[in-house]
Structures are given as structure tokens and as C-alpha cells.
Amino acid sequence: MKLKILKAQKKDLRQIAKIASENFSGLKVPKDATKWVSCNFNAFPRMQYFVVKIGADIAGYALWVEKGGFRKESVWELEQIAVKKYFQGQGVGTKLIEKSFLEIKNYLKKRRSSLKAIEVTTGTDNKAQNLYKKTLGAKTECIIKDLFRGDEVVMIARFKNGK
């Protein structure tokens, strides 16, 4: 399976919103998902979407968000990652995180900033925690009770000198 990971374009937003609607309970209403995705896309460079394409089809997306201002030591959140159900379990999410993470690091290098940390928040029952450990080196910092659809785990990956 040949994957291409690219920065999202405006023309991709409808497909990103559809995938978001299929994967996140807070975005089930397609109109709401479209509005959410559009406002995030318009917040570039603070918010950056990446898509994974298999052929002409968008199979998934990742949304990275810079936190706390444009600092020399930058903190980012992998706010959302979603892959179409058909492509889940095939390594698509892993490749999407790895490649989009490299793009974020390249963006920071051009800006003369370094990466201090990455935050990921997910449900305590979400198996994707292993994905975040493997791809980012994220470790559990705390659990927030009764947030969103239940308890959420906050994971942090810390970097020395941007590495």
C-alpha cells in the first residue's frame, strides 16, 4: 500500500470533516464537523492539518496544534488523528504520525525554534496510547476524570535540544 502524507489543502476539508464525523463522538453532526475543521484549518500556522492519501483517497488526517505562543522552545499537541475504519490496523496511523511529526520539526527548524514537548490526550480505554508511546515516545503524565466521554489520559513526550 503506497501512502502519501501531505499538508492538507482547502480542497481536503470536506473529506477531513467526514472522517472526523465518523471517528469522534463530539463531531458526529457533519455540519458541525465541517465548521470545526474549517476554523482549525484557518488558524494556520498554529494549527496544521496533514492528510494521508492512498491513491486519490484521503484515508486519514492528523491535526497538530502549537500551544502557548510561538516560543523558542515549542510545545505542540497532537490534537486529533483519525483514519477511516477500512484502513485502521494497517499502519496508516503510524506513518501519518511519523511523517507529519517530521514536517512539524522541519517547520520549527525553519523558524529557528526547537521542540520541547508534545502532548496527547486520549481516552483511558483507547488502544492508541501504545501508538503514541511507540511513535512519539509519549508517557502518561496524569488522568483527568470525567472529561469528554469519560476519563482522559494526558501523555507527554519530552525532547532535549529539539530531539
Side-chain angles (χ1 to χ4, degrees):
M1 174 171 34
K2 186 168 163 106
L3 307 176
K4 277 197 257 181
I5 287 90
L6 308 162
K7 284 192 174 206
Q9 304 294 313
K10 194 168 189 163
K11 64 182 170 79
D12 300 328
L13 298 184
R14 182 171 282 132
Q15 288 184 69
I16 291 170
K18 186 172 193 244
I19 295 168
S21 186
E22 293 169 356
N23 282 277
F24 297 106
S25 59
L27 297 172
K28 287 291 180 209
V29 177
K31 185 177 176 184
D32 293 343
T34 299
K35 188 174 183 180
W36 177 259
V37 167
S38 294
C39 75
N40 290 336
F41 181 80
N42 289 328
F44 180 88
R46 181 176 185 263
M47 297 181 139
Q48 297 188 31
Y49 275 106
F50 294 85
V51 294
V52 56
K53 288 191 174 186
I54 299 174
D57 191 29
I58 292 178
Y61 73 90
L63 173 59
W64 291 90
V65 178
E66 188 163 12
K67 300 183 77 148
F70 298 123
R71 300 171 183 247
K72 278 294 195 194
E73 290 186 306
S74 185
V75 175
W76 286 74
E77 178 180 7
L78 177 57
E79 184 177 289
Q80 286 187 334
I81 179 168
V83 174
K84 285 183 178 177
K85 302 270 188 241
Y86 177 81
F87 294 109
Q88 290 178 2
Q90 299 178 46
V92 173
T94 298
K95 294 290 184 204
L96 178 57
I97 291 173
E98 291 171 346
K99 179 74 167 129
S100 63
F101 180 44
L102 285 175
E103 291 294 326
I104 293 299
K105 290 200 299 192
N106 287 336
Y107 163 75
L108 289 173
K109 186 177 179 180
K110 288 177 190 169
R111 198 179 83 192
R112 293 190 167 99
S113 291
S114 63
L115 182 64
K116 183 176 183 179
I118 293 174
E119 174 187 334
V120 182
T121 304
T122 190
T124 54
D125 60 347
N126 191 338
K127 294 176 189 170
Q129 289 178 61
N130 293 326
L131 175 64
Y132 307 136
K133 287 176 190 172
K134 182 178 88 172
T135 57
L136 301 170
K139 296 177 183 166
T140 299
E141 288 280 324
C142 67
I143 295 174
I144 302 171
K145 298 288 184 190
D146 195 27
L147 188 70
F148 302 120
R149 60 182 170 82
D151 296 348
E152 294 279 314
V153 61
V154 178
M155 302 176 77
I156 304 286
R158 298 182 192 285
F159 302 89
K160 299 272 190 231
N161 301 319
K163 299 174 183 168

